[in-house]
């Protein structure tokens, strides 16, 4: 791909100079939206994904489907990227964001094309519409706590369209209540720090009060269980003599001296470690000499290799301070404590109980295949994220009702001139969420939405009976953060697309990409 410095060789994607970027780009977004549209809501349908090796996988998770699309059109790719970011930030609401964006782009394009409104004005209108929508949603949000029945409902709603959602819902809620207020860091719930979710094939779903490491001890000769363990987390280099030395010094006598030196240094390291009183070692060192490892085994130290990522929560849970140098081993308070550590040899996992540090619990997620365990694992994390967002920022009625009932309020804003027109782009999108959820449930979405709109705040449609109900009493709730983030992400998508007036590509663009961009 040419760099921007070669700007001279860039040219419009089509040979035809009049090629319409807005048309092509909005078509690309519509195509992406069409793929995920039917998955929205609890009655959404699944997609069968087939990867390059012909592996099949069924999913109804917006972001999974988006990421599996090998989108070549640059704008389609941009939509997928924004959706992915939304997923990373709040873990939910990606399908909603894409549908909102598609509606805004469709309506925005109509304004630009039919009414000759300048794209900048449309974009300004979208910006202010999104801003006001978010403010209104935040203002209407209801605060909840960990014991509130609404927390159950939030998790239920978030998992309603997922594989095995019911089972996972109970698991998630129990897990969060088990960890309780110990998950509060700096005034906000941060379950990332307090709840670990791991997945295994062929193991039962369970909540474990403690940490589960997907590891084995370094040698089966070591006992598989330690009581009252005193823990060291080792980051220091455990290879006192490097292999490169042997390559450079091949004389027999030199090698003998080196081997002696290697043994002595290794012994010294191990002795210093033993002196700390530790009986359990978590090793995240860059290199470990086999001699050092053998010495650990001969001294009966329970030792496990861990990754750098595992250091953080092991340290938080056990109170151990990671040791970086030999000198650090002399410091006070480096040892962590866990009352019981034991390995489940059949499943290759190690349990740690009763750490002296912060509380951490682990949710073990099973699955009959790797794919199902992965999908269930993702859903569990989505459920936890939804709960976290709800506890920290509050909740709003779900099923598209929150979005629907701010429309009238936004219309009353009375912004000046064309900006008001831009606002309508947002209001028409706000309606589309309920419409799509209902269409996916087999109703005439448009008609039902009209009825719901005429009802009081918080009212929407029961997707089983089709009756107009109070979504809050019905227990269909969403975290307000998921809604505001989805709105912001969709605004970002729509603005980027509506602002582009020409697609330029480098001279050497590959022909396939060129062909796809014209579709
Ligand atoms: P997203 O990727 O946007 O999270 P989902 O498929 O998870 O898409 O659907 C989320 C939407 O489904 C939310 O608007 C939520 O309120 C709605 N929803 C969930 N359960 C129900 C229900 N029982 N009735 C109506 N809407 C529901
Ligand atoms: Mg969802």
């Amino acid at each position: 791909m040419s760099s921007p410095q070669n700007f001279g060789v860039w040219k419009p994607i089509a040979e035809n100079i009049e090629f319409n970027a807005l048309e092509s780009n909005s078509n690309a977004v519509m195509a992406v939206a069409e793929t995920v549209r039917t998955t929205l809501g609890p009655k959404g349908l699944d997609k069968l994904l087939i990867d390059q090796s012909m592996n099949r996988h069924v999913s109804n998770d917006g972001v999974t489907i988006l990421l599996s699309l090998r989108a070549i059109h640059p704008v389609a790719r941009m939509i997928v990227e924004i959706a992915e970011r939304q997923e990373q930030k709040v873990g939910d609401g990606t399908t909603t964001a894409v549908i909102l964006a598609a509606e805004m782009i469709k309506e925005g394009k109509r304004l630009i094309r039919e009414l000759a409104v300048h794209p900048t004005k449309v974009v300004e209108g979208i910006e202010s519409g999104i801003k006001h929508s978010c403010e209104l949603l935040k203002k209407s949000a209801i605060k909840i706590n960990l014991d509130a029945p609404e927390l159950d409902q939030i998790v239920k709603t978030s998992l309603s369209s997922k594989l095995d959602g019911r089972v996972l819902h109970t698991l998630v809620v129990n897990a969060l209540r088990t960890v309780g207020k110990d998950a509060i860091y700096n005034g906000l719930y941060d379950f990332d720090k307090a709840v670990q979710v791991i997945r295994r094939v062929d193991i039962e779903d369970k909540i474990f009060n403690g940490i589960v490491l997907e590891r084995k001890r370094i040698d089966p000769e070591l006992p598989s269980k330690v009581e009252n363990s005193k823990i060291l987390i080792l980051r220091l280099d455990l290879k006192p003599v490097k292999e490169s030395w042997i390559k450079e010094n091949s004389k027999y006598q030199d090698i003998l001296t080196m081997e002696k030196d290697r043994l002595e240094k290794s012994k010294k390291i191990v002795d210093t470690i033993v002196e700390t009183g530790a009986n359990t070692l978590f090793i995240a060192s860059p290199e470990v000499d086999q001699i050092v490892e053998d010495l650990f085994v001969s001294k009966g130290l329970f030792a496990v290799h861990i990754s750098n990522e595992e250091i953080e929560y092991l340290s938080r849970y056990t109170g151990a301070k990671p040791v970086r140098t030999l000198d650090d081993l002399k410091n006070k308070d480096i040892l962590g404590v866990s009352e019981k550590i034991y390995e489940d040899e059949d499943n290759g996992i190690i349990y740690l109980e009763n750490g002296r540090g912060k509380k951490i619990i682990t949710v073990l997620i099973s699955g009959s295949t790797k794919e199902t365990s992965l999908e269930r694992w993702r859903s569990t994390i989505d459920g936890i994220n939804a709960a976290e967002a709800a506890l920290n920022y509050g909740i709003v009625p779900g099923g598209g009702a929150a979005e629907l009932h701010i429309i009238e309020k936004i219309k009353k804003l009375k912004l000046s001139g064309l900006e008001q027109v831009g606002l309508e782009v947002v209001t028409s999108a706000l309606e589309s969420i309920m419409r799509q959820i209902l269409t996916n449930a087999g109703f005439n979405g448009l008609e039902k939405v009209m009825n719901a709109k005429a009802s009081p705040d918080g009212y929407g449609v029961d997707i089983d009976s089709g009756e107009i109900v109070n979504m809050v009493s019905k227990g269909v709730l969403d975290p307000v953060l998921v809604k505001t983030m989805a709105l912001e992400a969709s605004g970002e998508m729509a603005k980027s697309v509506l602002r582009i007036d020409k697609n330029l590509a480098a001279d050497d663009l590959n022909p396939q990409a060129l062909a796809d961009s014209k579709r």
Side-chain angles (χ1 to χ4, degrees):
M1 191 57 87
S2 308
S3 69
Q5 282 95 319
N6 308 336
F7 217 72
V9 299
W10 288 47
K11 63 182 186 190
I13 279 183
E15 296 75 52
N16 176 2
I17 277 295
E18 294 302 312
F19 181 72
N20 193 311
L22 183 56
E23 199 67 47
S24 151
N25 296 346
S26 76
N27 285 345
V29 178
M30 296 312 141
V32 173
E34 285 319 308
T35 348
V36 291
R37 195 179 279 288
T38 52
T39 69
L40 185 71
K43 303 242 167 154
L45 300 174
D46 295 340
K47 302 280 168 200
L48 174 66
L49 310 175
I50 303 170
D51 69 16
Q52 277 155 318
S53 335
M54 296 305 280
N55 294 319
R56 282 162 304 161
H57 174 46
V58 174
S59 178
N60 114 341
D61 181 44
V63 88
T64 310
I65 298 166
L66 289 174
L67 289 174
S68 73
L69 294 177
R70 262 169 294 148
I72 297 176
H73 193 290
V75 169
R77 215 157 41 206
M78 183 172 75
I79 299 295
V80 174
E81 276 166 21
I82 299 177
E84 196 183 357
R85 237 179 1 224
Q86 151 97 2
E87 172 72 17
Q88 282 163 359
K89 275 199 252 169
V90 277
D92 206 3
T94 42
T95 317
T96 302
V98 173
I99 294 174
L100 286 171
E103 289 300 316
M104 287 195 264
I105 292 165
K106 198 159 79 188
E107 190 55 24
K109 193 178 86 176
R110 194 182 64 84
L111 293 180
I112 295 169
R113 280 300 191 67
E114 291 173 18
L115 304 177
V117 181
H118 195 273
T120 348
K121 287 290 164 204
V122 179
V123 165
E124 276 170 22
I126 290 179
E127 262 168 13
S128 104
I130 297 279
K131 193 177 124 237
H132 287 108
S133 305
C134 290
E135 278 167 8
L136 286 166
L137 285 174
K138 281 182 197 155
K139 225 177 1 193
S140 70
I142 311 159
K143 281 270 173 197
I144 60 162
N145 64 37
L146 204 55
D147 304 315
E150 284 86 355
L151 187 78
D152 283 80
Q153 302 297 354
I154 279 286
V155 177
K156 209 182 244 169
T157 310
S158 130
L159 297 179
S160 59
S161 60
K162 308 280 165 137
L163 176 76
D164 236 4
R166 249 164 229 246
V167 178
L168 295 177
H169 152 245
T170 318
L171 203 65
V172 167
V173 174
N174 288 345
L176 301 186
R177 293 203 172 122
T178 307
V179 72
K181 293 214 161 60
D182 287 304
I184 298 180
Y185 285 80
N186 301 322
L188 291 175
Y189 280 94
D190 189 348
F191 291 118
D192 238 11
K193 286 201 165 73
V195 182
Q196 211 197 350
V197 187
I198 66 168
R199 65 192 151 91
R200 306 286 295 182
V201 174
D202 280 338
I203 196 172
E204 264 174 47
D205 284 345
K206 73 170 170 194
I207 297 168
F208 175 74
N209 199 330
I211 284 186
V212 179
L213 287 174
E214 294 178 275
R215 302 271 171 193
K216 289 182 168 189
R217 59 200 194 279
I218 57 167
D219 195 299
E221 262 182 46
L222 289 168
S224 61
K225 193 163 134 191
V226 207
E227 307 265 354
N228 291 319
S229 59
K230 306 272 175 297
I231 299 162
L232 267 185
I233 297 178
L234 301 171
R235 290 214 60 189
L236 74 166
D237 192 353
L238 294 175
K239 199 174 182 79
V241 177
K242 304 292 174 205
E243 251 119 39
S244 57
W245 193 94
I246 304 178
K247 288 191 197 108
E248 289 155 19
N249 303 271
S250 48
K251 266 198 252 131
Y252 182 66
Q253 199 51 43
D254 289 348
I255 291 179
L256 271 191
T257 322
M258 184 278 291
E259 282 298 345
K260 208 171 141 238
D261 183 42
R262 179 180 168 201
L263 186 63
E264 269 167 20
K265 283 188 173 142
S266 299
K267 272 188 175 152
K268 186 170 167 248
I269 294 177
V270 176
D271 286 344
T272 325
I273 286 172
V274 171
E275 274 163 31
T276 62
N279 58 10
T280 303
L281 310 174
F282 289 120
I283 309 167
S285 306
E287 285 187 287
V288 189
D289 197 313
Q290 190 55 48
I291 296 186
V292 173
E293 242 183 67
D294 290 343
L295 287 168
F296 286 158
V297 176
S298 72
K299 305 250 179 212
L301 295 166
F302 186 92
V304 184
H305 287 286
I306 59 164
S307 69
N308 280 336
E309 291 73 46
E310 285 163 323
I311 294 181
E312 200 197 319
Y313 62 78
L314 276 169
S315 161
R316 196 171 334 111
Y317 184 66
T318 65
K321 301 219 170 64
V323 173
R324 287 188 170 72
T325 64
L326 218 47
D327 279 346
D328 280 355
L329 283 168
K330 304 204 173 78
N331 292 345
K332 273 201 212 124
D333 286 339
I334 47 170
L335 289 181
V337 173
S338 160
E339 264 175 35
K340 201 158 132 199
I341 298 184
Y342 50 99
E343 182 174 326
D344 168 354
E345 293 178 67
D346 296 337
N347 289 305
I349 45 185
I350 294 173
Y351 295 93
L352 275 80
E353 276 180 30
N354 284 330
R356 89 163 148 102
K358 291 272 200 173
K359 188 164 176 174
I360 296 184
I361 62 153
T362 304
V363 186
L364 277 125
I365 296 294
S366 70
S368 48
T369 64
K370 231 168 134 185
E371 286 72 29
T372 9
S373 75
L374 180 65
E375 180 98 7
R376 296 178 88 244
W377 176 82
R378 267 201 214 105
S379 305
T380 305
I381 294 184
D382 284 355
I384 296 176
N385 285 334
E388 181 178 299
L391 289 165
N392 288 338
Y393 304 101
I395 54 172
V396 291
E403 291 95 327
L404 186 73
H405 291 289
I406 54 172
I407 293 177
E408 288 310 313
K409 295 182 184 115
I410 291 182
K411 282 193 173 155
K412 283 195 197 115
L413 284 173
K414 293 270 174 283
L415 297 185
S416 63
L418 284 173
E419 216 182 319
Q420 182 69 27
V421 182
L423 273 186
E424 278 162 30
V425 176
V426 178
T427 52
S428 68
L430 287 169
E431 245 182 53
S432 65
I433 299 305
M434 184 182 286
R435 198 171 63 228
Q436 191 65 51
I437 292 173
L438 293 174
T439 308
N440 290 354
F443 293 105
N444 177 339
L446 199 61
E447 186 193 333
K448 292 275 173 210
V449 169
M450 296 319 277
N451 297 343
K453 214 172 171 183
S455 315
D457 274 7
Y459 276 70
V461 180
D462 182 316
I463 48 160
D464 294 314
S465 67
E467 280 164 28
I468 303 289
V469 290
N470 181 333
M471 295 311 252
V472 181
S473 330
K474 188 87 187 125
V476 181
L477 305 163
D478 283 317
V480 69
L481 185 72
V482 173
K483 299 278 118 176
T484 53
M485 293 289 235
L487 269 166
E488 278 163 13
S490 67
E492 205 184 320
M493 295 175 193
K495 285 190 300 181
S496 324
V497 172
L498 295 172
R499 258 202 211 109
I500 300 171
D501 78 335
K502 276 223 164 42
N503 291 352
L504 299 176
D507 232 3
D508 52 0
L509 192 76
N510 90 48
Q512 182 58 43
L514 190 65
D516 283 329
S517 70
K518 283 190 211 165
R519 277 211 305 241

